[in-house]
Amino acid sequence: MASQQDNSAYWSKNISIIKGCLIVWFVSSFGLAILLRPLLSGIKIGGTDLGFWFAQQGSILVFLVLIFFYAWRMHKLDVEFGVDEE
Amino acid sequence: MDQFTLNLIVVGATFALYIGIAVWARAGSTSEFYAAGRGVHPIVNGMATGADWMSAASFISMAGIIAFGGYDTSAYLMGWTGGYVLLAMLLAPYLRKFGKFTVPEFIGDRFYSQTARTVAVACLIIASITYVIGQMTGVGVAFSRFLEVDNTTGLLIGAAIVFFYAVIGGMKGITYTQVAQYVVLILAYTIPAFFISLQLTGNFLPPMGLFADATSTGEPLLTTLNGLLADLGFSSYTQQSDTTLNLFLFTVSLMIGTAGLPHVIVRFFTVPTVKDARYSAGWALVFIALLYLTAPAVGAMARLNLINTVYPNGTTEAPLAYDQRPEWVQKWEETGLLKFEDKNGDGLIQYVADKDANEFDVNRDIITLANPEIAQLPGWVIALVAAGGLAAALSTAAGLLMAISSAVSHDLIKSQINPEISEKGELLSARIAMAVAIAVATYLGLNPPGFAAQTVALAFGLAAASIFPALMMGIFSKRINNTGAVAGMLAGLIVTLVYIFLHKGWFFIAGTNSFTDADPLLLSIKSTSFGSIGALVNFVVAYFVSNATEDTPEEIKALVESVRTPRGSGAAVDH
């Protein structure tokens, strides 16, 4: 049985992993595809610009990588803190 | 063999498959009925979630929306996939650990309040019913076009199929039929896209083809498309037309609405462990992404093919004569979804941006279904697309009906009306609730309320403004108490509803609206984008009300502590 102390350290580690992932999530979609698109319009891809590619392809690919990274990282953390499922 | 017989064989074969699976996967206990016995492999659940999530809107409508909306409609692509990141990190693992059967059950237990649970049930039922109407009308359209039965007969056949496997199999039957439906719908979506991408660009992968050179001009496909659109007076495909603020808020609303839709969340209750719930969200997005990465290519290529059909010798030459129109145009004219009006009486089809001169009116819902015909693909591909459209609509309808029936039998009957009910009694009441929900959905599908098209915004608005914030605060804060949660949900719900009603009319009664969408006075924020603001109101109100009222009891703090760590999730399996 893990102690109360262990759990709060585990939880704050989880929060910081989530924060990191959500920053990438935000930058790849809202950032590159919407807010920063005008700034990046000089970078051309197949008849349009980088922002358009991120809006219709890139952001989705980043989301995929993020979820699998999170699942892998959290399982490692679970084992580290002894709160994984036996 | 003619097209009709081919359609009949392919659709008939898929239906026989669904029924076979339903008979094999009957549910014997409430755990099997509500959560498929929590024995679903994460990859299998990912596939089922893909079919559950990808509705008639994704399969039938989205490519058409993109084809006619261009860059601005990227909000759908990012919103409907980015929500899974939030689901995987902020909700799914903890709700799986909680280990009960429904979303309102978590809200009721965590906020120790029957009121909170009832508010959640109300949101769930309104969101799910409005959503299911769209699925039923989608079934009707697909049937009437491909199987040449009238709309009513088509809808009744669809309802009978769903009734059969959802009532008998519950979540277990639905899960395994959804897997089969996923396979049908993804093949039906991608195979025509491969052909079309190959025809237009020489690259058979649609996501690559979208950014490749068009074989007809030697210039990039999107440059070619923009050039043709400019000739006809349409706005550029790759330019932003909407305001940045509205585009931003709309994407946020779709993302958190996706994460808050109960019929998607409950799918993560069916996997054995918390670890599986996290991975399963990733697998769900893999299966969803196969369609969502293809859709923007399908949209752009369909628009290009459409223009090339009307202007076979280029936009500078005379358009196609009406009496030489291809067969697919005639077929779709019969459904009323494609119209030609010879305004200048020259017998030619003028397709231009100017509304007074345009003679060709194409409903965007036909793009995906008509796509293989526009590209002149073989008959079996067309039949497969018909089966795919039906699979998408039926699988989502079943998931929604499941969410409605478990809310009624578990959150209303078992929890509030008759707590002493036996497991057998609860199972029976769940099946009766399911049958009633199907009857209501069929009735509404046959007699769609005039506001049906606007209600999708309502479903996402409700999920975004009420359910998502309540769940998130329930997990990530120990301080949010019963009063705060109820006040927050109601505040989020009310501002969102009022904003939608101000634009669409009170209770959707035409003429009672004070604004039209994108009013500069309201910063051009459309009613479909307001769920994100509603969610913000929910968070703020819940925070301040909770801090002004008494702290949460110790046992609730312990409950929050327990959902945060995976160990012990197995205990929930036998509960």
Side-chain angles (χ1 to χ4, degrees):
Chain A
M1 192 67 196
S3 72
Q4 192 68 29
Q5 192 53 43
D6 276 347
N7 278 356
S8 72
Y10 166 83
W11 187 247
S12 59
K13 193 81 188 119
N14 178 23
I15 299 281
S16 67
I17 295 169
I18 292 177
K19 272 185 192 156
C21 289
L22 290 186
I23 288 170
V24 178
W25 165 83
F26 184 89
V27 170
S28 69
S29 51
F30 298 99
L32 296 173
I34 300 176
L35 301 174
L36 301 174
R37 189 183 176 209
L39 291 176
L40 298 165
S41 60
I43 307 171
K44 296 292 174 200
I45 289 186
T48 179
D49 55 86
L50 188 69
F52 187 89
W53 183 81
F54 263 97
Q56 302 215 329
Q57 300 285 326
S59 56
I60 300 175
L61 297 171
V62 173
F63 298 157
L64 271 175
V65 173
L66 279 177
I67 299 181
F68 281 105
F69 168 78
Y70 179 73
W72 168 79
R73 185 67 191 83
M74 281 309 288
H75 183 64
K76 228 177 87 172
L77 194 72
D78 292 346
V79 175
E80 217 174 285
F81 281 84
V83 294
D84 58 316
E85 295 142 307
E86 295 95 342
Chain B
M1 199 184 310
D2 67 351
Q3 187 62 49
F4 174 70
T5 320
L6 208 54
N7 292 347
L8 210 59
I9 291 171
V10 174
V11 172
T14 59
F15 278 23
L17 176 67
Y18 307 152
I19 290 175
I21 292 171
V23 172
W24 166 72
R26 287 183 308 273
S29 65
T30 46
S31 172
E32 285 187 344
F33 194 89
Y34 291 132
R38 299 199 204 276
V40 181
H41 189 276
I43 299 183
V44 173
N45 184 56
M47 217 179 253
T49 308
D52 195 51
W53 170 243
M54 290 188 285
S55 58
S58 290
F59 188 95
I60 299 176
S61 308
M62 193 170 62
I65 292 173
I66 297 170
F68 294 106
Y71 167 78
D72 286 1
T73 56
S74 306
Y76 291 100
L77 296 165
M78 290 186 281
W80 285 346
T81 54
Y84 281 84
V85 177
L86 301 179
L87 200 56
M89 294 176 196
L90 305 180
L91 304 180
Y94 320 104
L95 294 175
R96 170 59 192 84
K97 172 65 192 296
F98 177 64
K100 299 265 178 90
F101 290 139
T102 69
V103 170
E105 193 172 13
F106 175 77
I107 292 179
D109 284 6
R110 164 61 185 83
F111 298 114
Y112 45 102
S113 156
Q114 282 293 355
T115 316
R117 190 168 181 169
T118 310
V119 172
V121 169
C123 290
L124 183 154
I125 290 179
I126 298 171
S128 303
I129 290 267
T130 52
Y131 221 96
V132 91
I133 298 172
Q135 310 312 314
M136 288 312 211
T137 45
V139 171
V141 170
F143 262 109
S144 57
R145 168 61 186 82
F146 292 103
L147 300 176
E148 296 171 26
V149 295
D150 65 82
N151 210 331
T152 312
T153 318
L155 222 156
L156 290 176
I157 297 172
I161 301 277
V162 174
F163 180 87
F164 191 78
Y165 69 72
V167 173
I168 293 181
M171 194 57 147
K172 196 175 163 201
I174 288 173
T175 301
Y176 294 104
T177 36
Q178 280 176 336
V179 170
Q181 284 158 338
Y182 175 79
V183 175
V184 172
L185 84 85
I186 201 68
L187 289 175
Y189 204 84
T190 50
I191 289 175
F194 288 153
F195 275 115
I196 293 167
S197 181
L198 194 62
Q199 278 177 354
L200 291 178
T201 67
N203 191 327
F204 79 98
L205 282 178
M208 310 291 282
L210 179 61
F211 299 94
D213 289 348
T215 42
S216 58
T217 57
E219 285 191 316
L221 182 95
L222 289 167
T223 311
T224 309
L225 178 58
N226 276 336
L228 294 176
L229 290 172
D231 289 345
L232 303 173
F234 290 101
S235 57
S236 157
Y237 191 81
T238 50
Q239 278 293 310
Q240 179 180 330
S241 318
D242 205 351
T243 65
T244 302
L245 177 67
N246 188 63
L247 197 59
F248 185 92
L249 292 177
F250 186 41
T251 310
V252 175
S253 301
L254 291 175
M255 280 194 190
I256 58 181
T258 300
L261 281 175
H263 73 284
V264 177
I265 297 173
V266 294
R267 287 241 43 100
F268 295 92
F269 295 0
T270 66
V271 295
T273 65
V274 172
K275 183 186 164 204
D276 289 337
R278 296 185 194 123
Y279 274 107
S280 196
W283 284 111
L285 190 57
V286 167
F287 296 119
I288 292 166
L290 287 177
L291 190 144
Y292 277 58
L293 292 172
T294 309
V298 171
M301 291 172 187
R303 190 85 186 270
L304 191 61
N305 268 336
L306 185 68
I307 295 172
N308 286 337
T309 304
V310 180
Y311 293 93
N313 304 313
T315 43
T316 46
E317 302 289 322
L320 188 73
Y322 180 66
D323 53 19
Q324 284 172 14
R325 67 195 187 282
E327 196 195 342
W328 65 265
V329 174
Q330 302 173 25
K331 282 268 168 69
W332 281 105
E333 277 179 319
E334 287 164 20
T335 63
L337 295 171
L338 194 145
K339 293 188 198 88
F340 172 72
E341 184 195 350
D342 197 3
K343 287 176 185 159
N344 61 3
D346 65 355
L348 304 177
I349 303 173
Q350 262 85 25
Y351 174 56
V352 289
D354 180 3
K355 283 204 172 57
D356 296 326
N358 181 41
E359 303 176 342
F360 199 48
D361 179 29
V362 184
N363 184 305
R364 61 190 187 186
D365 281 351
I366 75 171
I367 287 295
T368 303
L369 297 178
N371 211 16
E373 299 169 291
I374 299 174
Q376 300 169 350
L377 297 182
W380 64 270
V381 178
I382 297 168
L384 189 60
V385 171
L390 288 168
L394 292 176
S395 58
T396 304
L400 290 162
L401 291 164
M402 184 68 224
I404 297 169
S405 77
S406 52
V408 171
S409 64
H410 197 65
D411 295 310
L412 292 180
I413 296 177
K414 165 108 175 153
S415 148
Q416 309 201 6
I417 298 170
N418 181 9
E420 302 303 315
I421 194 166
S422 67
E423 171 158 341
K424 258 196 167 150
E426 192 185 345
L427 200 54
L428 181 66
S429 69
R431 287 190 160 123
I432 294 172
M434 177 81 83
V436 173
I438 293 173
V440 172
T442 310
Y443 175 81
L444 291 171
L446 289 173
N447 308 286
F451 55 84
Q454 284 138 20
T455 50
V456 176
L458 183 66
F460 274 91
L462 291 182
S466 62
I467 299 173
F468 176 80
L471 291 174
M472 197 186 148
M473 289 185 291
I475 296 160
F476 285 82
S477 162
K478 292 182 189 165
R479 184 65 188 85
I480 302 297
N481 60 18
N482 49 357
T483 329
V486 172
M489 275 199 284
L490 289 177
L493 200 61
I494 290 166
V495 292
T496 308
L497 276 179
V498 166
Y499 199 83
I500 293 176
F501 286 158
L502 281 172
H503 286 78
K504 302 293 175 190
W506 290 89
F507 301 96
F508 300 106
I509 297 164
T512 57
N513 57 318
S514 323
F515 298 96
T516 50
D517 257 330
D519 194 304
L521 202 67
L522 300 171
L523 303 171
S524 302
I525 299 169
K526 292 180 189 163
S527 56
T528 43
S529 311
F530 201 75
S532 47
I533 311 269
L536 190 66
V537 170
N538 185 340
F539 280 121
V540 171
V541 169
Y543 177 80
F544 284 105
V545 171
S546 293
N547 278 305
T549 47
E550 64 190 36
D551 201 1
T552 47
E554 281 310 312
E555 70 264 24
I556 295 301
K557 289 193 181 6
L559 170 73
V560 175
E561 204 55 61
S562 111
V563 301
R564 287 177 175 184
T565 52
R567 181 157 289 178
S569 64
V573 174
D574 310 313
H575 113 110

